[in-house]
Amino acid sequence: MDIHGLQKLTLLDYPGKVACTVFLGGCDFRCPFCHNGELVAGPLPPPETDDKALLAFLNKRRGLLDGVCVTGGEPLLRPELPALLARIKELGFLVKVDTNGTHPDRLRALVERGLADYVAMDVKNGPTRYAETAGVEDLDLAPIRDSVSFLLSGAADYEFRTTVVREFHSEDDLRELGVWLAGAKRYFLQSFAERDTVLRPGLHPWGRAELEGFLALVRQYVPAAELRGV
Ligand code: SF4
């Protein structure tokens, strides 16, 4: 299995855990603000490593790392993912899976098989501007709604997160998000940050004051909401 990146140590990606992060190429969204443009658009770059080398690396990190974060791209697009996660779990690691929520059945299957200890789902926007924010014109929101409902049910430990971008998120959009995710256990608003690898250059973050205003608005529905990395 091709692996397009391996960050060998992170204290940030898995809340409260010392972890590494595995990047899998390919995504069914084209979020204009995506920072991993090389992993989603056009031909994928050559893989950095593969599953065998990853498992050998993890074998040597037993007792040193708590967990493994699997991100992308969209990891659930990869049919080999459950088998890889099963091997990682056999080595004794916790697993965190990042997803854009487009494959609720695969997500549910991972959780039901005990292969995902923590799920971080990007909720790109309120329903009105979701398609535009995900960069997919004829987006079917039903699978995304299904993933949100599954996580809200408490079937898995989870967080929702939204990257807030000036060009895509207004008060109305944040209000829609709050209503949709009402009662969520964890919800993080993250500020967009301009980088060279962004899919569509020229986007802008909101300032801290506006983000705090959005947070106050969202907290009317999701009291546990927080700003992250602001
Ligand atoms: S931000 Fe996430 S969901 Fe959006 S294109 Fe990038 S990898 Fe895919």
Side-chain angles (χ1 to χ4, degrees):
M1 178 180 184
D2 289 346
I3 289 174
H4 282 88
L6 173 62
Q7 185 179 345
K8 293 183 173 173
L9 180 66
T10 171
L11 303 177
L12 299 176
D13 289 358
Y14 198 142
K17 307 290 180 197
V18 180
C20 66
T21 299
V22 175
F23 294 83
L24 303 180
C27 188
D28 36 13
F29 280 1
R30 293 290 180 273
C31 310
F33 51 89
C34 180
H35 282 164
N36 292 333
E38 75 282 7
L39 292 186
V40 308
L44 288 173
E48 184 178 310
T49 185
D50 63 15
D51 53 333
K52 286 195 185 71
L54 172 68
L55 292 166
F57 162 77
L58 289 175
N59 202 27
K60 288 191 214 146
R61 291 298 190 280
R62 291 165 84 169
L64 300 173
L65 297 177
D66 304 315
V68 178
C69 307
V70 183
T71 190
E74 172 48 48
L76 292 174
L77 282 176
R78 305 289 288 269
E80 321 95 304
L81 183 68
L84 176 64
L85 298 190
R87 299 291 306 280
I88 293 173
K89 293 292 295 175
E90 280 166 20
L91 290 173
F93 293 97
L94 296 167
V95 169
K96 168 178 175 265
V97 175
D98 291 353
T99 181
N100 62 22
T102 44
H103 297 282
D105 294 344
R106 294 178 198 179
L107 176 62
R108 199 174 274 112
L110 284 188
V111 169
E112 286 172 359
R113 287 181 59 190
L115 298 178
D117 300 286
Y118 192 88
V119 178
M121 178 176 166
D122 284 350
V123 184
K124 304 293 179 185
N125 210 336
T128 302
R129 297 185 71 187
Y130 212 104
E132 175 193 0
T133 313
V136 178
E137 214 168 281
D138 53 354
L139 181 72
D140 177 9
L141 207 52
I144 293 150
R145 288 187 186 280
D146 192 4
S147 291
V148 166
S149 299
F150 173 65
L151 293 175
L152 280 175
S153 78
D157 201 9
Y158 72 93
E159 68 180 46
F160 296 120
R161 55 199 189 182
T162 298
T163 299
V164 183
V165 187
R166 188 179 281 262
E167 283 77 4
F168 293 106
H169 298 94
S170 66
E171 276 193 7
D172 287 346
D173 302 306
L174 270 293
R175 189 172 294 104
E176 277 192 12
L177 276 161
V179 169
W180 189 6
L181 305 179
K185 186 172 162 188
R186 292 188 200 90
Y187 180 34
F188 297 99
L189 301 181
Q190 308 176 154
S191 180
F192 168 72
E194 178 74 65
R195 281 194 208 157
D196 291 347
T197 54
V198 77
L199 266 186
R200 189 206 296 170
L203 300 173
H204 302 89
W206 283 105
R208 183 170 186 105
E210 290 93 348
L211 289 168
E212 284 179 352
F214 290 155
L215 178 66
L217 197 164
V218 164
R219 276 186 172 162
Q220 295 173 25
Y221 310 92
V222 188
E226 301 278 356
L227 297 181
R228 176 187 268 164
V230 175

